[in-house]
Amino acid sequence: MHTMKSALAVLWPPPHDPGTPALSVVDMHSGGEPLRIVLAGCPEVVGPTLLAKRRYMRQHLDHVRRRLMFEPRGHRDMYGAVLVQSELPDAHLGVLFLHNEGYSSMCGHAVLALGRFALDFGLVPVPPAGSREARVNIHCPCGLVAAFVECEDGRSRGPVRFHSVPAFVLATDLMVDVPGHGKVVVDIAYGGAFYAFVSAEKLGLDICSAKTRDVVDAASAVTEAVKAQFKINHPDSEDLAFLYGTILTDGKDAYTEEPTTNICVFADEQVDRSPTGSGVTARIALQYHKGLLALNQTRAFKSGATGSVFTGKAVREVKCGDFKAVIVEVSGQAHYTGTASFAVEVDDPLKDGFLLK
């Protein structure tokens, strides 16, 4: 009788289109939010700058995103990262972020995971003996982000923290007409991506007990209303001038030692399982702007989806164009979950993936 081991030896690797490289990945998560990091199999992403590479991938290699993010290999809330060369001399690596709708400008939970990954997979120099922390400079589409990885004997361990790009407030107390909810007051802030912030209570929801479907419907209605009624602009690049999603909060913006809870709905109704790293960045900038936080005052943020916690604090004031901005430090924990090699059969009608609505 054939054993499973002998059967694997007969049919390994599985049938695969010889003209399509297998996609090898490492899977991680930060606070419950997945990150699928492409190790091999993605064709070269061409372009003189990271933003140009982002445009090239969207136009020429989007099948890679769909194969990795969509079913049957992924799911509608999967998140990914393709590592590329950066044009910045100080960057250890460049990254393009993938989600169910396209390509993000920033992803904090991914930066936390990529910090560990870069150290463990030799993408940065081994820190000197006795070092307790390694620095990883990650070039994101929004700019250069520095991650600091706790380490021991040159391997990652424990939490990761990162310093954001300049984070700022674009609008406060913006009145938006949201279908089904009437006039709703929202704030818009940038933490590497733009988010609309609104207390869930204003939409008739309790962020700690509401059904996910109700959260998605309410947040998506706010996102579409803001897109239709307010123009987003960024002083550095038009590529960054878009609303990424809406973050519903528990309304507890004034400082407390207890975590404040939020849920982010972004891209095509994708729900972040973590507290949202770039959302924490933007929310810290918003609270600092409103005088609710001081520099280096740490605040805890809890995911309404999983209960996982990130912390954040504004570490220094800077400028972004004419906007007063802050650099925000976000801390959290990332974990490895596995590896995979994905095959593509040429006669598979669903080889590029699909999503259920």
Side-chain angles (χ1 to χ4, degrees):
M1 179 182 292
H2 283 293
T3 65
M4 181 61 71
K5 186 174 181 179
S6 63
L8 283 172
V10 171
L11 190 63
W12 191 264
H16 182 78
D17 174 14
T20 304
L23 287 161
S24 298
V25 302
V26 170
D27 278 359
M28 302 182 71
H29 81 90
S30 303
E33 181 69 359
L35 183 68
R36 176 162 287 168
I37 305 167
V38 180
L39 278 181
C42 181
E44 181 183 4
V45 184
V46 178
T49 67
L50 192 68
L51 287 175
K53 287 181 171 73
R54 182 168 170 258
R55 290 191 291 270
Y56 180 90
M57 184 146 191
R58 181 189 291 124
Q59 294 166 9
H60 302 287
L61 298 174
D62 197 53
H63 63 277
V64 174
R65 177 187 67 86
R66 297 195 304 272
R67 286 173 181 175
L68 290 174
M69 298 298 99
F70 291 5
E71 294 185 54
R73 301 172 189 89
H75 53 83
R76 69 170 297 107
D77 294 307
M78 179 55 79
Y79 206 96
V82 171
L83 306 185
V84 297
Q85 289 290 324
S86 167
E87 73 274 14
L88 300 182
D90 293 336
H92 293 115
L93 65 148
V95 60
L96 301 177
F97 300 120
L98 320 177
H99 52 67
N100 70 7
E101 188 179 51
Y103 303 84
S104 173
S105 55
M106 173 57 186
C107 180
H109 92 272
V111 166
L112 296 173
L114 286 169
R116 288 196 67 190
F117 174 86
L119 179 62
D120 294 338
F121 281 74
L123 302 184
V124 297
V126 176
S131 295
R132 304 299 298 273
E133 195 172 63
R135 176 170 176 149
V136 182
N137 292 332
I138 302 173
H139 186 188
C140 306
C142 64
L144 192 65
V145 175
F148 303 89
V149 185
E150 284 195 19
C151 61
E152 185 174 344
D153 298 327
R155 297 298 298 272
S156 70
R157 58 178 298 277
V160 179
R161 60 190 178 93
F162 71 80
H163 285 181
S164 72
V165 296
F168 61 89
V169 175
L170 185 63
T172 57
D173 300 325
L174 179 70
M175 188 72 73
V176 180
D177 190 4
V178 180
H181 299 280
K183 301 288 186 182
V184 178
V185 176
V186 305
D187 298 320
I188 300 175
Y190 178 81
F194 283 103
Y195 296 97
F197 291 88
V198 60
S199 170
E201 189 178 36
K202 295 179 181 178
L203 302 170
L205 297 173
D206 179 342
I207 199 63
C208 297
S209 61
K211 293 180 179 179
T212 302
R213 183 70 255 171
D214 294 336
V215 170
V216 169
D217 289 343
S220 299
V222 172
T223 297
E224 293 309 310
V226 172
K227 286 180 177 179
Q229 298 167 46
F230 184 78
K231 180 173 174 54
I232 302 289
N233 61 82
H234 190 284
D236 291 342
S237 173
E238 191 63 28
D239 283 277
L240 305 176
F242 64 95
L243 187 70
Y244 190 32
T246 291
I247 295 179
L248 302 187
T249 78
D250 58 8
K252 297 175 182 177
D253 292 331
Y255 176 79
T256 65
E257 292 187 359
E258 294 298 313
T260 174
T261 301
N262 53 229
I263 295 182
C264 175
V265 180
F266 65 99
D268 182 12
E269 299 189 344
Q270 192 160 337
V271 180
D272 196 335
R273 274 70 169 156
S274 80
T276 310
S278 55
V280 166
T281 302
R283 202 169 168 207
I284 287 282
L286 181 61
Q287 292 175 5
Y288 183 79
H289 175 85
K290 291 184 173 183
L292 301 174
L293 279 179
L295 282 179
N296 292 304
Q297 187 174 23
T298 300
R299 190 90 197 266
F301 297 84
K302 184 167 75 172
S303 165
T306 63
S308 59
V309 175
F310 292 168
T311 61
K313 61 181 178 181
V315 294
R316 69 178 185 273
E317 294 181 340
V318 292
K319 294 278 284 186
C320 186
D322 292 330
F323 291 98
K324 292 181 179 179
V326 286
I327 300 298
V328 176
E329 180 178 291
V330 176
S331 299
Q333 178 73 65
H335 295 277
Y336 291 98
T337 56
T339 61
S341 180
F342 293 112
V344 175
E345 290 196 272
V346 68
D347 62 344
D348 181 358
L350 299 176
K351 63 179 179 288
D352 287 339
F354 62 92
L355 288 181
L356 298 181
K357 278 285 189 181

